[in-house]
Amino acid sequence: MAAKPKIKPYHGPAGGIGALEAVEKHLCRQKIFLSGNKALLSMNKPEGFDCPGCGWPDPKHTSSFEYCENGAKAVAWEATKKRVTLDFFARHTVTELLGWSDYELEDAGRLTHPMIYDRATDQYTPISWEDAFRTIGDALNRLPDPNQAEFYTSGRASNEAAFLFQLFVRAYGTNNFPDCSNMCHESTSVALPDSIGVAKGTVQLDDFEKAEAIFIFGQNPGTNSPRMLNDLRAAAKRGAKIVSFNPIRERSLERFASPQHLGDLIKPVSISSHYYQVRIGGDMAAVKGIMKVVLEADDAARAAGQPRVLDVAFIETHTHGFEAVEADIRATDWKEIERASGLSRAQIEEAASIYIQAKSCIAVWGMGITQHRTGVANIQQIINLLLMRGNMGRPGAGACPVRGHSNVQGDRTVGIYEKPKPAFLDGLQRAFGFNPPREHGHDVGEAIDAMFEGHARAFIGLGGNFSLAVPDTERVAEAMRRLDLNVQIATKLNRGHLVVCNTSLLLPCLGRTEIDFQSSGPQMVTVEDSMSNVHASGGLNMPASEHLRSEVAIICGIAQATLKGRYDIPWQSYSEDYDRIRDAIEAVMPELFTGFNQKIRQPGGFRLYSPVDYREWNTPNGKANFLVHEGIDENEMPQDREDVLELATIRSHDQYNTTVYGLDDRYRGVFGQRMVVFINAADRERLGFEEGAIVAMRTVSEDGLERRVGGFRLVDYDIPAGCCAAYYPETNPLIPATRRALRSNTPTSKSVPVVFEAWKGEWDDRPNPELASIQTQVMAVAAE
């Protein structure tokens, strides 16, 4: 039972006793108190399984346990004793299940049998694996054009599963690979190659032990990557300056009590030495302001005959384009910087002073940077700042994008990309003897467009909850119901599985925590963390059902039924022994994976080669590039509308991506509910609402489409004026699918212009099954 809805300020630190209590509560709720605790002791260890949550790297395995609160929740969620059996589907229609909340759907338990939707009964019914594969293969082969199918990948998929998935899809004939990276860090993947020649971060975990300053932009580690807090804690305790830029004062960026250090429970560690609450969309202005102060300080040092503030030797030897960026920064007006950032000049000068004094600096960013119209420019401006003082390619310095799901970076490395490089395709052709398609395929935004236009006819999802994770949720669901085929490979039931079309199948797979038995014995898979370390993962729990198959086996079965012997690809052999898949990955990409099977059998695995470590720049001009981005406004807010607020969609602490573990958000003081919107009290009063009022939000958009969700309780919060925040996926219907970041196509989920309206509980007459769960939650809250 959910707790009674209440708002109660939380005064404790991040972590601490509260985290320990939350872990045990979730283990008990999933009926795995003993077995769950045993499993957690093996998580992120050389002989255990990798956390199915975030992609933050593991330390050197020196403590008794290497997991965080949210990682423990992910394990409890997967290792639950609850089951969604054939009887469950016999008792519940899809229409009925649409009325369940997202939390209730996944909390029902693990899927146990392959199922197919029966339109006559409006229920999922059992199907054999062989018939399921045949049904999928026949449907795909009926399409007149392979480009009419979309193949989605979640960041939870292993390297082995992702590699086989892309191999199958390219053998089928398309590069349509919408994946979860498109919705979060695609701006990073687009920005970094232009600037420094790689699409990944440049730091390693031990750089956090050497950095004198760590600048964090738009990242909330306490919820999104809690294991990062141990590294920030250690940095803070040795005196490193941690400078945070975030609209909301997040508890984990303020203070943290590590459960591994008993002294912290008495005296928590302060994390941020300086905390600047930029307005939503104000980060680029803040960074330009810091750069402006750096230039002014360099002018003064040069005039006084003192050592330069700029790393002139690095700039002259390793970079290109500094003069143009310098001119743009000097021309940027301080008043505009203050207006756009929401910070005073004095605050920016203070932050710049810390940057100047630090001999080494790491810049960290999350989706508060990437999910804006100028997401790519935001990142390249951060890189400009690092390059000014040579903070790249040396110890304690560099770029640290905090990727989300545990293997989202690895999936991209092994080929899940709609714009594959020619060298990768050449490797596939060399290894497998067929010429893969060369034209670019669809990312998430383009896949949605193809569905809207009726061009896309089939969808196969390797994990995830696509229809709920994307913007314009209602419109996308309506388009997916018009498909000919919708296949979902998953461990648990979610709302995306209820978006049924002509032929819909639900294929249950093994989880990260479970033993993967194949004919050659128990298998291990590999994952790549957000710092390019590749390591092995092997499950320890017995499978939730004897009818489950691994993701690898499912992909091989679909490939065999679809391709029918086309090309000499040993699908059956791959499903029997995953070493053979790793041999194939090595054959395609020997420059990265030479000795793959040997290296992952070493404790901790290995790190992929990164040229930036050696100050080598794989850019067309062979240099790290300063890149000019004129202007400082990240978003397209109406300038003449005082009633419009900038909405950022955020996670609660009881949530990972679209998975809702519970209805509490402890650090923000929200309990037993999710239908809240955090707002500045002055804005609330100015707009004429009482504290706690129930409101609707409507998107301000020029496309003429009505986007409105209602039933949100106003919660006064420490957030800049003109800004507000609320949880996704409940607010995803407000995000126009056409409003995307320039170049990366990432949805602008952190900057949605909305107006507030009084809400009396009325719902419009449109068919709206995606919001049925919201209505259920709202009525429950209203009843309180």
Side-chain angles (χ1 to χ4, degrees):
M1 291 291 292
K4 180 179 179 180
K6 62 181 177 181
I7 306 296
K8 182 181 179 181
Y10 183 76
H11 300 294
I17 295 297
L20 294 174
E21 291 176 343
V23 168
E24 301 310 316
K25 179 182 72 174
H26 281 272
L27 293 175
C28 289
R29 184 181 295 167
Q30 300 305 322
K31 304 177 182 179
I32 56 166
F33 180 78
L34 294 178
S35 61
N37 275 293
K38 181 180 178 181
L40 290 174
L41 292 175
S42 298
M43 186 162 73
N44 299 325
K45 295 294 180 65
E47 301 302 322
F49 60 90
D50 192 73
C51 177
C54 81
W56 190 255
D58 305 330
K60 297 180 176 64
H61 310 293
T62 56
S63 67
S64 59
F65 53 92
E66 297 293 356
Y67 61 87
C68 65
E69 176 185 343
N70 280 9
K73 291 175 184 174
V75 170
W77 206 240
E78 180 179 294
T80 179
K81 292 295 185 183
K82 300 178 183 180
R83 299 290 183 264
V84 174
T85 62
L86 298 180
D87 180 64
F88 175 93
F89 284 113
R91 288 186 286 111
H92 303 291
T93 65
V94 165
T95 300
E96 177 194 348
L97 292 171
L98 279 167
W100 290 28
S101 71
D102 301 305
Y103 167 72
E104 290 169 327
L105 288 171
E106 293 208 30
D107 191 50
R110 290 288 301 277
L111 298 165
T112 60
H113 292 73
M115 309 293 288
I116 187 169
Y117 178 67
D118 182 352
R119 189 173 296 278
T121 61
D122 189 31
Q123 291 174 312
Y124 272 106
T125 59
I127 186 174
S128 71
W129 281 107
E130 291 69 26
D131 286 345
F133 295 150
R134 187 182 309 110
T135 299
I136 296 166
D138 290 348
L140 290 175
N141 286 324
R142 280 195 297 269
L143 296 179
D145 180 357
N147 292 308
Q148 290 183 299
E150 307 290 347
F151 298 88
Y152 178 76
T153 314
S154 159
R156 190 201 66 190
S158 67
N159 287 326
E160 291 73 17
F163 178 79
L164 291 184
F165 197 51
Q166 66 80 31
L167 177 62
F168 155 58
V169 173
R170 290 191 165 105
Y172 174 64
T174 184
N175 281 314
N176 285 352
F177 286 106
D179 77 304
C180 60
S181 182
N182 299 149
M183 293 185 278
C184 52
H185 265 284
E186 195 63 51
S187 294
T188 297
S189 299
V190 172
L192 291 182
D194 292 346
S195 292
I196 57 175
V198 298
K200 304 176 181 181
T202 69
V203 300
Q204 302 181 56
L205 206 55
D206 59 7
D207 285 313
F208 279 78
E209 300 171 5
K210 303 168 184 175
E212 293 190 4
I214 301 169
F215 277 54
I216 302 176
F217 299 94
Q219 161 68 1
N220 175 21
T223 293
N224 301 334
S225 51
R227 277 185 292 132
M228 179 183 180
L229 289 176
N230 281 318
D231 299 294
L232 294 178
R233 172 192 178 275
K237 284 185 71 67
R238 65 174 174 79
K241 301 295 184 183
I242 298 178
V243 183
S244 296
F245 295 83
N246 206 73
I248 300 175
R249 291 196 69 88
E250 300 288 10
R251 183 54 45 82
S252 64
L253 290 172
E254 294 177 319
R255 56 190 185 277
F256 171 59
S258 170
Q260 300 181 31
H261 298 85
L262 295 179
D264 287 11
L265 303 182
I266 301 171
K267 185 180 180 181
V269 176
S270 295
I271 298 298
S272 296
S273 58
H274 297 76
Y275 203 125
Y276 301 106
Q277 287 182 262
V278 293
R279 60 180 296 274
I280 291 174
D283 296 278
M284 183 190 289
V287 172
K288 279 197 168 186
I290 295 171
M291 295 173 69
K292 195 173 183 72
V293 177
V294 171
L295 290 175
E296 293 169 352
D298 186 71
D299 292 341
R302 183 166 48 177
Q306 297 174 347
R308 298 286 295 275
V309 173
L310 295 173
D311 189 335
V312 177
F314 175 83
I315 291 172
E316 291 179 348
T317 303
H318 289 283
T319 74
H320 174 267
F322 173 72
E323 294 79 9
V325 167
E326 178 185 18
D328 176 66
I329 297 300
R330 292 190 186 279
T332 305
D333 183 71
W334 268 113
K335 290 184 178 179
E336 283 297 291
I337 290 174
E338 290 180 302
R339 175 195 62 79
S341 69
L343 303 177
S344 69
R345 179 171 178 174
Q347 289 176 303
I348 294 172
E349 288 175 339
E350 181 182 53
S353 177
I354 297 168
Y355 180 68
I356 290 168
Q357 292 172 25
K359 295 179 181 179
S360 56
C361 180
I362 294 172
V364 177
W365 67 87
M367 286 182 283
I369 292 294
T370 65
Q371 291 182 324
H372 290 275
R373 184 178 62 90
T374 58
V376 172
N378 295 348
I379 295 160
Q380 292 179 342
Q381 204 65 257
I382 291 172
I383 299 301
N384 288 343
L385 175 63
L386 290 173
L387 295 177
M388 291 178 81
R389 287 183 45 77
N391 280 306
M392 192 69 67
R394 58 184 176 86
C400 182
V402 182
R403 303 278 183 173
H405 225 147
S406 58
N407 198 43
V408 63
Q409 185 161 301
D411 290 351
R412 178 61 56 87
T413 299
V414 299
I416 299 297
Y417 190 33
E418 75 280 358
K419 302 180 183 67
K421 293 182 178 180
F424 177 80
L425 297 179
D426 291 343
L428 284 180
Q429 186 171 6
R430 181 178 62 248
F432 295 102
F434 73 94
N435 186 20
R438 302 275 166 165
E439 66 278 6
H440 290 173
H442 295 161
D443 61 17
V444 164
E446 292 160 338
I448 291 173
D449 291 343
M451 292 179 193
F452 286 165
E453 296 162 2
H455 178 73
R457 302 307 313 157
F459 179 93
I460 296 182
L462 180 59
N465 192 354
F466 179 84
S467 65
L468 201 65
V470 296
D472 255 338
T473 312
E474 298 174 69
R475 296 180 61 226
V476 171
E478 290 171 5
M480 292 189 74
R481 288 188 173 93
R482 297 192 294 268
L483 296 173
D484 297 323
L485 176 71
N486 185 352
V487 180
Q488 301 286 338
I489 302 168
T491 57
K492 302 185 82 174
L493 187 65
N494 66 46
R495 190 161 302 279
H497 306 152
L498 308 179
V499 179
V500 291
C501 65
N502 186 44
T503 301
S504 296
L505 293 104
L506 186 50
L507 307 182
C509 65
L510 294 172
R512 185 79 59 82
T513 62
E514 293 169 319
I515 303 173
D516 184 353
F517 290 102
Q518 300 298 336
S519 61
S520 65
Q523 303 297 308
M524 61 181 175
V525 296
T526 61
V527 298
E528 178 186 343
D529 65 33
S530 61
M531 293 183 185
S532 302
N533 302 297
V534 179
H535 52 274
S537 174
L540 301 173
N541 295 337
M542 293 299 294
S545 166
E546 62 180 339
H547 303 287
L548 302 184
R549 294 197 180 183
S550 70
E551 289 179 323
V552 164
I554 293 171
I555 293 164
C556 290
I558 294 173
Q560 288 175 295
T562 304
L563 299 177
K564 301 181 185 300
R566 194 188 322 166
Y567 312 126
D568 187 20
I569 302 174
W571 300 108
Q572 185 63 35
S573 176
Y574 287 153
S575 68
E576 293 170 351
D577 188 341
Y578 299 176
D579 276 0
R580 297 165 186 163
I581 306 172
R582 288 183 282 272
D583 286 340
I585 294 173
E586 178 179 344
V588 173
M589 294 175 283
E591 69 282 1
L592 290 178
F593 290 101
T594 295
F596 194 2
N597 273 310
Q598 292 71 40
K599 288 178 179 178
I600 62 161
R601 285 173 166 82
Q602 303 168 0
F606 66 102
R607 186 168 187 261
L608 296 174
Y609 170 75
S610 175
V612 175
D613 290 350
Y614 308 95
R615 288 191 165 178
E616 298 172 357
W617 319 100
N618 286 346
T619 57
N621 61 11
K623 300 281 188 177
N625 290 301
F626 284 93
L627 298 170
V628 175
H629 294 284
E630 298 178 351
I632 51 179
D633 287 309
E634 298 180 33
N635 308 319
E636 297 176 321
M637 279 286 288
Q639 298 298 316
D640 57 346
R641 294 279 301 272
E642 293 185 357
D643 60 333
V644 179
L645 299 185
E646 193 90 67
L647 169 71
T649 68
I650 59 175
R651 294 173 178 166
S652 79
H653 192 59
D654 259 1
Q655 172 182 1
Y656 195 75
N657 296 338
T658 59
T659 298
V660 177
Y661 301 126
L663 302 181
D664 295 344
D665 190 0
R666 186 171 75 252
Y667 297 157
R668 299 190 184 108
V670 176
F671 300 91
Q673 59 190 313
R674 289 178 55 82
M675 298 299 293
V676 299
V677 55
F678 302 103
I679 189 171
N680 183 291
D683 282 333
R684 174 184 55 75
E685 293 173 356
R686 178 175 57 82
L687 295 174
F689 293 103
E690 298 291 329
E691 183 176 4
I694 306 296
V695 300
M697 288 182 284
R698 180 169 51 82
T699 305
V700 177
S701 177
E702 297 178 353
D703 62 7
L705 297 176
E706 175 81 2
R707 296 178 179 88
R708 182 177 181 268
V709 292
F712 289 81
R713 184 185 300 277
L714 292 178
V715 175
D716 289 353
Y717 213 73
D718 188 358
I719 189 170
C723 305
C724 60
Y727 304 130
Y728 78 87
E730 289 85 349
T731 49
N732 280 6
L734 294 172
I735 307 169
T738 54
R739 190 168 287 167
R740 305 168 188 164
L742 301 173
R743 293 186 61 202
S744 71
N745 257 5
T746 300
T748 57
S749 304
K750 292 293 183 288
S751 53
V752 186
V754 297
V755 294
F756 287 78
E757 302 169 348
W759 191 82
K760 300 179 182 179
E762 303 94 343
W763 295 80
D764 60 35
D765 295 328
R766 292 174 297 163
N768 200 5
E770 279 56 61
L771 294 183
S773 66
I774 295 177
Q775 185 175 12
T776 301
Q777 293 182 49
V778 170
M779 296 310 176
V781 171
E784 297 291 341

